[in-house]
Structures are given as C-alpha cells and as structure tokens.
Amino acid sequence: MDRLGEAALSLSYAKSAKRDTERLRAIMGDAYAEAVAVADEKLLFEGDAAKEAQALLLYAVMYNESGMRPHIERCDCTHGDGDCDNGAAAGLPQIHKEHFQGHSWEEVCADRKLQIRLASAVLAQKKTNCGTFALTLGGYNAGECIIPAPPPSLPGQKEKPDYVARASRVFQILLRKVKIDVRQQGRQWVATAREEVALR
C-alpha cells in the first residue's frame, strides 16, 4: 500500500497540496480497500496486480472528476467553479443520484468510502456494457458508451484533451509510478506487476 500512497502524491494536484498529503494517501488507501473488498467477478482487472490497478483507476477517475478538492468531497458546490454538474453530482467521483443504490444525498456526501464504493460499481457496470477501456471511461463520464467531445476552447487557447484522454493520462502516470502494466485482451483487462517489483 505504501507504493500506492506514494503514487497518489506524484500528481500535480498533490504537489501543490503540501498540507493535504495525508488525506490524499487516505483516499488511495480507501480505493485500495474497496478493490480488496470487491468480489472477484466485479474486479475490473485480471492478473497479479488486479487490485492495485483497480485502486489506481478509481483514484484516476476521482482525480479527473474533482481534482481531489476537499470541498467537492463534502459536496460543497458553492465555490463558483462549475463543480458538481450544477449540483447534480456528489463527492470526489462525481456520482449521480441514479447510482446512489438507495443511499441519500447526505449519506453519500458524508462518506468518502461510500463514494468510492459507488464509483467502483458504476465502473463495473460500464465495463460490462461498454467493454473497452476507453469506452468504459467515456461511459462513466457521459452515461453511455461514447468518448465525450473535448471541452470547447476559446480562440487562441490550446485545445483541451477529452475526458478519456485526461483520465487515461492520469492512470498511466500512476501505473508507471508503481510499475504495473495494463493491457486489454478482448474484453479482459489484465494488470501485471513488472518482474522487479513485489507489490505485496
């Protein structure tokens, strides 16, 4: 788990959040605990690093959705920065109400572990429906198996990458940090530790 915690601190938000490092490590720890608790048939990945890859993907999705900002974790969407899909999405993974599994808005906003569990369930559902890694991420963001268009840019601005490209980039950074390789074989996603690394 130490390697995963260190990976959580390798992203640009973590570098700019010096006083928030313990919280970021705890979020990665919660993501890993969720991956360990998931029944094998619900794991997104196969292979000797399946649980680690699942934790890293959950972290990448949350990072991409919310930037790990504490106010979004608490569902405080009053900062005027376009957060929370205008109040329709909750928590770090920006879960919509149709995925709350009977929980109330208050319960989801007060419980980061619940937010992660719900995000894990959404990813599993999207993987079943969409199959490929890119379409699963696109489905998480857009609700259907598509790759959402990039956000519009103003004249003179550099074009921004689409959601899938951004989330994939974060995931790849995390994978490199902990030396895990992920490949898709048909509808299976296989995660393996590089030989020189003992994950457990």
Side-chain angles (χ1 to χ4, degrees):
M1 178 48 219
D2 287 344
R3 295 179 63 77
L4 297 180
E6 287 304 309
L9 304 182
S10 66
L11 299 169
S12 60
Y13 175 77
K15 290 173 185 171
S16 66
K18 299 289 186 214
R19 291 172 291 158
D20 211 16
T21 55
E22 289 312 308
R23 179 177 156 272
L24 296 172
R25 285 179 195 271
I27 293 168
M28 182 64 86
D30 291 344
Y32 183 70
E34 171 58 26
V36 169
V38 166
D40 283 345
E41 67 273 8
K42 295 281 190 181
L43 269 175
L44 300 170
F45 298 90
E46 297 181 18
D48 64 351
K51 291 178 173 75
E52 291 82 2
Q54 181 130 340
L56 295 172
L57 181 59
L58 283 165
Y59 195 91
V61 165
M62 289 186 286
Y63 183 91
N64 201 42
E65 289 282 345
S66 64
M68 298 304 191
R69 290 172 285 185
H71 70 278
I72 299 180
E73 180 180 335
R74 297 185 307 269
C75 303
D76 174 4
C77 302
T78 60
H79 287 234
D81 50 6
D83 295 332
C84 308
D85 289 352
N86 298 315
L92 292 174
Q94 292 292 275
I95 298 292
H96 283 248
K97 194 158 182 67
E98 65 264 25
H99 301 295
F100 280 14
Q101 298 180 356
H103 293 281
S104 70
W105 186 267
E106 292 74 20
E107 288 173 317
V108 173
C109 292
D111 188 343
R112 179 173 66 221
K113 292 178 182 177
L114 175 58
Q115 294 171 17
I116 293 170
R117 188 165 64 247
L118 295 174
S120 181
V122 173
L123 282 168
Q125 176 197 26
K126 296 304 178 186
K127 183 186 178 204
T128 298
N129 295 343
C130 303
T132 70
F133 185 78
L135 288 176
T136 297
L137 283 179
Y140 184 93
N141 178 251
E144 55 187 299
C145 301
I146 61 169
I147 296 178
S153 52
L154 298 172
Q157 274 186 331
K158 192 167 121 180
E159 190 172 320
K160 299 173 185 170
D162 64 53
Y163 179 91
V164 171
R166 290 191 322 268
S168 296
R169 182 175 176 275
V170 171
F171 185 50
Q172 289 302 318
I173 290 169
L174 295 170
L175 288 173
R176 276 195 306 274
K177 188 73 176 172
V178 297
K179 296 181 171 61
I180 292 175
D181 294 317
V182 168
R183 67 189 182 286
Q184 186 163 339
Q185 296 177 327
R187 290 184 71 87
Q188 296 176 325
W189 304 353
V190 180
T192 53
R194 294 185 195 152
E195 289 180 22
E196 71 272 18
V197 178
L199 289 171
R200 293 179 182 84

